[in-house]
Amino acid sequence: MNNKLIVALDVDTTTEAERLLDLLLPEVKIFKVGIRLFTACGPKIVKMISSRGAKVFLDLKFCDIPNVVSRTIESVAGLGVFMLTVHILGSRRMLTESMKAVRSIARAQRPLVIGVTVLTSFNQDALREVGVEKPLIDEVLSLALIAKQEGLDGVVCSPREVAPIRRQFKKDFIIVTPGIRPAGSQKDDQQRTMTPKQAREEGVDYMVVGRPIIASPDPQKSARRILTEIC
Ligand code: C5P
């Protein structure tokens, strides 16, 4: 299913984003706008992508006081995004207020809310450096539990944590995984990776792929290769 693949548009200009859309549409149906592109181009980038018939995953990873995050989510409603992210570490109260804000949005425009567990660029040592002594998998699972209890639609985690999360939360919880690296490609700053095929076998709902496609000399070919592995 080609609607499992989300391409991260981690670029700096509308022109670069448009070039990638020209190459990847219509095979790729969902594009991720993160802090880099959103900061450079503003909300109009979301409108531009939607106007070309693709869905937008707005990955701004909101993490602030509950009032600020919930009011921001209300503003996002007007953009018509398909999915957005909040950091689960932002606190239960922040999540409760976020979900209240989301429920106030008309159903047709309501985005899915996905909680970020532990970034896929973390390994156990990096987690310890910021004061978390727990095994990484336990930290991911306890954050996922908070997300579920607060009514979020799903979580972002690494493909390696999909099986334990599925065991605990079954099917009605969306799992989004970055850290996807086709066999033989560079890991870059990602630590907890899997190939697209392995991630599909783990039962991931959506895979986020950035550099293996957007930094490839032939993005279309790289995307097609990944789509062949996950279809
Ligand atoms: O280039 P690469 O495939 O590593 O890009 C991964 C994308 O997924 C980036 O846009 C990054 O912001 C995002 N992401 C991540 N880890 C998370 C959540 C999102 O790498 N936990």
Side-chain angles (χ1 to χ4, degrees):
M1 287 221 306
N2 59 356
N3 53 10
K4 264 190 190 307
L5 176 64
I6 302 178
V7 172
L9 293 174
D10 291 328
V11 292
D12 301 307
T13 63
T14 305
T15 310
E16 284 177 89
E18 279 174 332
R19 180 186 78 91
L20 288 163
L21 293 181
D22 288 342
L23 290 169
L24 300 172
L25 282 168
E27 283 150 299
V28 176
K29 302 190 182 313
I30 314 173
F31 291 87
K32 185 175 89 86
V33 174
I35 53 174
R36 184 170 161 192
L37 186 59
F38 196 82
T39 303
C41 300
K44 68 179 190 311
I45 196 73
V46 174
K47 298 276 183 197
M48 185 280 282
I49 299 167
S50 307
S51 73
R52 298 200 49 179
K55 290 184 180 177
V56 176
F57 170 24
L58 190 64
D59 182 30
L60 302 182
K61 300 187 178 71
F62 296 136
C63 189
D64 206 319
I65 59 172
N67 177 61
V68 170
V69 172
S70 55
R71 297 289 85 83
T72 306
I73 288 177
E74 286 169 5
S75 303
V76 168
L79 294 177
V81 303
F82 159 65
M83 190 152 86
L84 62 81
T85 44
V86 293
H87 265 290
I88 303 169
L89 278 172
S91 80
R92 263 189 196 276
R93 174 93 192 280
M94 187 199 85
L95 300 178
T96 311
E97 297 298 319
S98 299
M99 293 315 290
K100 261 193 222 160
V102 143
R103 288 187 200 106
S104 73
I105 300 171
R107 194 170 277 276
Q109 288 181 305
R110 197 179 294 170
L112 295 168
V113 181
I114 306 294
V116 177
T117 58
V118 176
L119 293 172
T120 42
S121 51
F122 271 75
N123 59 17
Q124 190 66 56
D125 290 340
L127 201 58
R128 201 170 299 116
E129 277 166 12
V130 293
V132 179
E133 296 293 338
K134 265 194 225 173
L136 196 149
I137 179 63
D138 293 355
E139 177 70 358
V140 170
L141 283 171
S142 57
L143 290 171
L145 179 61
I146 293 171
K148 182 73 181 166
Q149 288 169 339
E150 293 299 328
L152 273 69
D153 298 291
V155 286
V156 187
C157 60
S158 99
R160 300 189 193 180
E161 288 113 34
V162 174
I165 291 181
R166 279 272 178 254
R167 269 198 296 280
Q168 208 160 325
F169 305 107
K170 311 292 178 223
K171 273 279 170 197
D172 64 336
F173 203 45
I174 296 168
I175 302 186
V176 180
T177 61
I180 302 294
R181 287 293 179 270
S185 70
Q186 287 191 2
K187 272 175 78 172
D188 307 303
D189 50 358
Q190 297 288 7
Q191 295 291 329
R192 308 188 328 273
T193 61
M194 271 191 192
T195 67
K197 181 167 179 281
Q198 288 168 327
R200 186 204 64 195
E201 286 165 0
E202 291 296 318
V204 166
D205 294 299
Y206 296 101
M207 298 179 203
V208 178
V209 184
R211 285 160 292 183
I213 294 175
I214 67 167
S216 154
D218 188 341
Q220 198 173 41
K221 192 167 154 199
S222 302
R224 282 185 181 153
R225 199 174 291 149
I226 291 173
L227 285 166
T228 313
E229 265 192 59
I230 66 179
C231 288

